[in-house]
Amino acid sequence: MSDPHPRVREVTSLSNPTVKALRALHDRKGRRESGLFLAEGARNAIEALDAGRAPEILVYHREGRGRDVVVRLRAATLASGGECLEVDEDVLAKIARKDNPQSVVAAYRWTRRPLSEIDPGRARVFVALDRVRDPGNLGTIVRTADAVGAGGVILVGETCDPASVEAVRASMGSIFAVPVFEGTLSDFQALASRWPGAIVGTALHATDHYRRTNAPSPILLVMGNEQAGISPEIASTCTHLVRIPMKGRADSLNLAIATAVALYGLAEPDDAAP
Ligand code: SAM
């Protein structure tokens, strides 16, 4: 039997307009036009809820409507004015654009944050990414930034979309916990000019070891583009330039791996802290 709430609808038609609108969120254009993005899976939705974010649209397999997690998510969605769709496997697969989809998919409003909103005093470390291209790298970095307690991830210049399904998936729910700021090169230069601590750039040609910088907090760790590294304009704002030593044949580390190594080297969280 269907839930009687007016904002809970059972949908079985693949051509339903809301199903089409949700499907469009796989494309950057669709996300820009609606301001929404998709997160897959009950786990992500619960992480979001714990971070104070309820879905604008919650979709779940109708056979799972009695599951505790679905009951909790549906109550939160309705309480915040959102709508719920009870669907079958085919509709879920159509929205998720894949076979064997997760039984919960949710759409959230993306909050675009300018660099002027950054408060450097909020955390010991922040991460800035110069023209990051790969959404998997970006999501993984958001997850690592969350793990070290970073104050935010700052995207500079033309970047991949932090709200893409791939980036959100790779963040494993951390996209709801870590603020992502987006700005231009000149926005970054303005931030750098008011930064009270160290701006630590990472570069293959740097001579300083990443664990021997004595960089004062708050640290703004700057990582370069996957192909081109850090631009000369951004490098010139750095108070420190560091390298991660490498032996063997690899000419560089993957961006997300290098970010994790540098973040832990510069700002490992205190194990004793709660
Ligand atoms: N060809 C690029 C270059 O010349 O910088 C390689 C870019 S690398 C794949 C992407 C980013 O990861 C770099 O810009 C840098 O921020 C960081 N990175 C990777 N390996 C590093 C290393 N061994 N030392 C310092 N930074 C590194």
Side-chain angles (χ1 to χ4, degrees):
M1 208 177 67
S2 201
D3 194 304
H5 195 288
R7 276 183 282 115
V8 179
R9 287 182 292 141
E10 187 154 346
V11 172
T12 50
S13 163
L14 297 177
S15 54
N16 174 280
T18 310
V19 171
K20 283 188 175 165
L22 288 166
R23 210 171 135 75
L25 300 182
H26 286 268
D27 302 321
R28 197 166 193 166
K29 183 168 169 276
R31 292 190 294 273
R32 254 193 210 140
E33 282 171 4
S34 64
L36 299 176
F37 69 101
L38 276 185
E40 304 163 315
R43 186 202 140 137
N44 267 332
I46 290 294
E47 297 267 344
L49 210 52
D50 290 345
R53 301 285 307 274
E56 295 222 348
I57 305 172
L58 175 71
V59 184
Y60 50 88
H61 199 298
R62 60 187 177 191
E63 284 171 13
R65 64 165 72 97
R67 286 170 60 207
D68 288 353
V69 64
V70 171
V71 170
R72 186 177 162 208
L73 288 169
R74 184 173 52 211
T77 305
L78 295 174
S80 64
E83 61 173 311
C84 300
L85 265 55
E86 298 191 340
V87 301
D88 58 20
E89 181 88 11
D90 290 345
V91 174
L92 267 177
K94 174 116 179 174
I95 293 170
R97 287 198 184 179
K98 64 180 179 197
D99 296 335
N100 304 318
Q102 305 230 32
S103 59
V104 171
V105 180
Y108 297 86
R109 188 147 298 280
W110 181 259
T111 310
R112 205 180 154 91
R113 301 171 202 268
L115 272 54
S116 55
E117 280 185 7
I118 296 172
D119 172 8
R122 248 201 80 224
R124 279 188 315 147
V125 68
F126 289 75
V127 187
L129 304 176
D130 181 10
R131 297 162 297 157
V132 58
R133 285 279 170 224
D134 184 295
N137 276 342
L138 174 49
T140 304
I141 290 169
V142 169
R143 182 179 179 185
T144 309
D146 188 14
V148 299
V153 173
I154 301 163
L155 305 183
V156 186
E158 286 280 307
T159 68
C160 59
D161 187 353
S164 69
V165 171
E166 297 79 10
V168 171
R169 188 183 295 144
S171 85
M172 296 291 289
S174 293
I175 200 79
F176 296 105
V178 176
V180 175
F181 302 93
E182 300 166 75
T184 62
L185 172 61
S186 65
D187 295 334
F188 181 80
Q189 288 165 325
L191 174 70
S193 67
R194 69 177 173 92
W195 195 261
I199 303 178
V200 180
T202 51
L204 304 178
H205 58 78
T207 48
D208 290 347
H209 189 288
Y210 74 108
R211 272 195 269 114
R212 298 189 205 118
T213 57
N214 286 325
S217 291
I219 293 172
L220 178 50
L221 172 67
V222 186
M223 306 300 300
N225 166 270
E226 288 93 337
Q227 273 80 44
I230 293 179
S231 72
E233 293 87 347
I234 289 192
S236 70
T237 67
C238 294
T239 56
H240 301 65
L241 273 182
V242 300
R243 71 185 160 82
I244 303 165
M246 294 184 297
K247 285 186 177 174
R249 285 182 51 247
D251 62 2
S252 68
L253 294 167
N254 159 274
L255 170 61
I257 300 284
T259 307
V261 172
L263 269 177
Y264 272 88
L266 291 161
E268 180 167 336
D270 182 355
D271 212 16

